[in-house]
Amino acid sequence: MATQVGIDAIAVHVPRLFVDLTGEWANVRASELGEASVDALIGKVTTGVGVRRMAVPDAHEDSATMAAMAAIKAIAAAGIDPREIDYLAVGTETTVDQSKSIAAYVLGMLERFYGVALPEVSTPQIQFACIGATYALEAAVSRIRAGENRKPYALVISTDISRYALRSAGEYTQGAGAVAMLVCEQPRLLILEPGLMSTISQDERDFFRPNWSTTAVVDGKYSIGVYLSCIEAAWKGWLERYQERSHEQPGARPDHLLDYMLFHVPFPRMAEYAAARILGSTWREAADPELLAALPDAGEPHDRAAWERKLAKTELFRQTFAQKVEPSLSFGRNVGNIYSGALYGALASLLDWAATTETDLSHRRIGFFAYGSGASAAVWSGIVAPTYRKMAINLAAELETDAEGGRRVAVVLAAYERLHSHRETELDLAPELQARLRGGEPLSAAETQELALALETQRVRVRQPDPSIVAPHSEFALTRLGTERRADFTDWGYRYYGWIAD
């Protein structure tokens, strides 16, 4: 019998700050975005997109600090010694360095936090848009299955900050957070089924971020289409593998094989689109006359998107969605898009929902539908371990606001916009010229020449982090950026992190 490998523990970290998309933000943005009314914008965001709160990193937070916070929470949840870990992989698309892995920064933070040395830990960073963490998980699981590990645990972390231009259509699909998972043999939480993972990749331009840009470039409608076609192809691959292994014949309601379906959730409404694509294609191929009669029509739809919209309104779909998908969406509604971690936030939501509703997940099969723009999709499955309750996650502790007795704090619009606009470098200009540029004042010929030279030679200087909205407390923080460029010592732009106890 093959060794069982999977997820032993999972933990989530979300920044304290959030934007309430139904409050001040909506009141200001409604006219700026050309909406008919504030209520119209709120409806678009909360119903059309499915988000109410958007997590925002404070000035001392970045992808590395969030990853380290999620890591120590996962280690605590598992009750292990960090010296039992020999593989630490980070999946991200918002790296903090163009060369150094976030995992190496996280390793340093863990060493200082626990007061231990971890020199034999491998620390790769895997990037492929929102599917990077899935590839990191696949690598960790495969490594243990192959017997290459010398210690029992691998630590896989997804960490991202999604950022789009202010006053753009993508602004309300931002978010930030990290999810950490400990992987091992005989896991107490979720056993990943071997031999069933199906992957598809293709060269696409649906979403990308050029090296010179701090925000992503996205073709929204096109990207949704690529997402749907890729996960459908990966789903069919999973079905083929399952049928080969189990000797089942096609057409036997294979959607019944999955008790829950977790999707990559760039925004919660996307899960409905994805479920309509997967369930619709599955149901249409089922040899079940009663099922076919419940669908919008029995023939090939002329307009597939229109047919899927009709399907989404049927009682069959709504019941199935409520049972298989809805329990996984609370994280996305309250945090927003965390790119590579969105799928694993859905897993955390499902576990939290089960604990809240006293639903038994033991031995249930969960289907995972991962996607990363550019583009790649993967579908795989896992069986919930009978011991999963011992590893339960308290998601409310991360998601509740101060008004609800939690840790999260709503940030006013002006402060959010200041955090959003901060850049870690600026042109190296005289203070007087900087002030004139910020004030929009006319420049002299000499000042114009100085500005042109600074742009041409990319003459920049490092800017230290702005003051935090909420001072760091019991957390890792970016304390400063290096500024030295000497013959005997260079740290210009290097990131220094520390644990802030109080």
Side-chain angles (χ1 to χ4, degrees):
M1 181 178 178
T3 301
Q4 292 183 338
V5 180
I7 300 171
D8 190 62
I10 184 172
V12 169
H13 179 74
V14 175
R16 281 194 179 94
L17 301 183
F18 72 93
V19 173
D20 180 355
L21 296 173
T22 68
E24 180 191 14
W25 180 89
N27 281 278
V28 173
R29 288 288 190 265
S31 60
E32 295 176 337
L33 294 175
E35 296 294 336
S37 66
V38 173
D39 287 342
L41 178 58
I42 292 174
K44 175 185 287 188
V45 172
T46 59
T47 303
V49 175
V51 181
R52 298 188 65 85
R53 296 168 182 160
M54 183 175 73
V56 177
D58 210 331
H60 61 273
E61 296 178 295
D62 63 12
S63 296
T65 64
M66 294 190 304
M69 288 300 299
I72 63 172
K73 292 176 182 180
I75 292 169
I80 68 166
D81 188 315
R83 288 169 291 191
E84 296 180 87
I85 299 168
D86 71 351
Y87 189 76
L88 196 173
V90 169
T92 187
E93 63 177 278
T94 49
T95 187
V96 298
D97 189 287
Q98 291 298 311
S99 177
K100 181 175 177 177
S101 167
I102 286 178
Y105 279 114
V106 172
L107 182 73
M109 284 186 261
L110 297 183
E111 288 180 322
R112 294 188 291 275
F113 180 80
Y114 292 107
V116 298
L118 304 170
E120 296 182 351
V121 177
S122 300
T123 53
Q125 176 174 301
I126 299 177
Q127 178 181 330
F128 193 151
C130 298
I131 203 171
T134 294
Y135 280 132
L137 178 61
E138 180 188 27
V141 170
S142 298
R143 184 173 179 273
I144 294 174
R145 283 179 178 156
E148 294 296 330
N149 58 308
R150 294 188 176 184
K151 297 181 180 179
Y153 289 93
L155 178 58
V156 176
I157 309 172
S158 62
T159 182
D160 270 307
I161 300 168
S162 61
R163 181 176 284 119
Y164 302 98
L166 298 176
R167 303 171 188 84
S168 70
E171 185 184 10
Y172 42 85
T173 65
Q174 297 177 120
V179 183
M181 297 170 285
L182 280 163
V183 178
C184 67
E185 296 182 14
Q186 303 305 125
R188 291 170 285 180
L189 185 60
L190 185 76
I191 302 160
L192 300 189
E193 295 189 278
L196 294 184
M197 187 172 190
S198 171
T199 305
I200 184 169
S201 297
Q202 57 195 53
D203 185 6
E204 292 286 353
R205 55 147 191 88
D206 61 314
F207 176 106
F208 56 95
R209 183 169 67 86
N211 284 332
W212 43 262
S213 178
T214 58
T215 57
V217 178
V218 58
D219 187 336
K221 186 175 181 180
Y222 179 69
S223 187
I224 289 173
V226 177
Y227 176 122
L228 295 176
S229 63
C230 283
I231 63 163
E232 181 182 19
W235 163 242
K236 289 180 178 179
W238 184 91
L239 283 177
E240 290 174 1
R241 287 163 173 76
Y242 183 87
Q243 289 161 357
E244 289 172 0
R245 189 183 75 171
S246 62
H247 306 292
E248 281 199 16
Q249 296 298 314
R253 292 295 299 274
D255 62 302
H256 284 175
L257 302 174
L258 301 179
D259 296 292
Y260 298 96
M261 304 169 70
L262 307 189
F263 294 96
H264 166 57
V265 190
F267 52 91
R269 190 65 183 275
M270 188 69 223
E272 183 176 311
Y273 302 155
R277 173 60 55 91
I278 298 302
L279 293 172
S281 65
T282 300
W283 287 339
R284 291 174 61 80
E285 296 175 1
D288 184 337
E290 184 177 346
L291 171 64
L292 292 173
L295 302 182
D297 67 53
E300 184 66 28
H302 176 70
D303 183 336
R304 191 171 191 184
W307 184 85
E308 288 171 352
R309 287 194 293 272
K310 292 179 181 178
L311 175 68
K313 296 178 181 178
T314 64
E315 183 178 357
L316 171 66
F317 178 86
R318 299 316 306 176
Q319 290 180 347
T320 305
F321 185 85
Q323 294 169 0
K324 295 181 182 289
V325 184
E326 181 66 35
S328 67
L329 300 181
S330 65
F331 183 89
R333 290 197 176 100
N334 286 284
V335 177
N337 187 6
I338 63 166
Y339 287 159
S340 65
L343 176 63
Y344 304 101
L347 174 58
S349 292
L350 175 64
L351 295 169
D352 184 69
W353 168 84
T356 302
T357 60
E358 299 184 351
T359 301
D360 186 6
L361 297 181
S362 300
H363 306 293
R364 300 295 186 182
R365 175 179 282 121
I366 300 176
F368 293 82
F369 296 77
Y371 176 73
S373 292
S376 183
V379 175
W380 75 100
S381 55
I383 305 297
V384 180
T387 53
Y388 82 94
R389 287 187 183 87
K390 296 179 180 179
M391 315 309 293
I393 180 172
N394 184 7
L395 195 59
E398 288 294 327
L399 300 187
E400 286 182 343
T401 68
D402 55 351
E404 299 164 333
R407 57 185 286 276
R408 300 178 73 192
V409 179
V411 62
V412 299
L413 187 63
Y416 150 67
E417 291 183 346
R418 175 173 67 79
L419 290 169
H420 189 285
S421 62
H422 177 79
R423 298 295 178 266
E424 293 184 346
T425 60
E426 64 183 0
L427 286 175
D428 189 7
L429 301 171
E432 297 81 6
L433 180 53
Q434 287 277 13
R436 290 170 67 81
L437 286 169
R438 292 193 183 100
E441 301 176 21
L443 304 182
S444 67
E447 289 172 331
T448 301
Q449 185 176 10
E450 181 184 350
L451 175 60
L453 180 61
L455 290 169
E456 182 180 350
T457 59
Q458 298 183 344
R459 194 177 74 212
V460 298
R461 62 180 167 226
V462 171
R463 289 183 62 189
Q464 297 300 331
D466 287 340
S468 298
I469 305 299
V470 176
H473 173 74
S474 298
E475 62 187 297
F476 293 109
L478 173 64
T479 56
R480 67 183 179 92
L481 299 176
T483 59
E484 296 293 331
R485 286 194 286 184
R486 307 193 309 263
D488 62 332
F489 180 84
T490 299
D491 71 348
W492 189 73
Y494 189 77
R495 310 177 79 79
Y496 290 94
Y497 296 99
W499 175 262
I500 310 300
D502 49 33

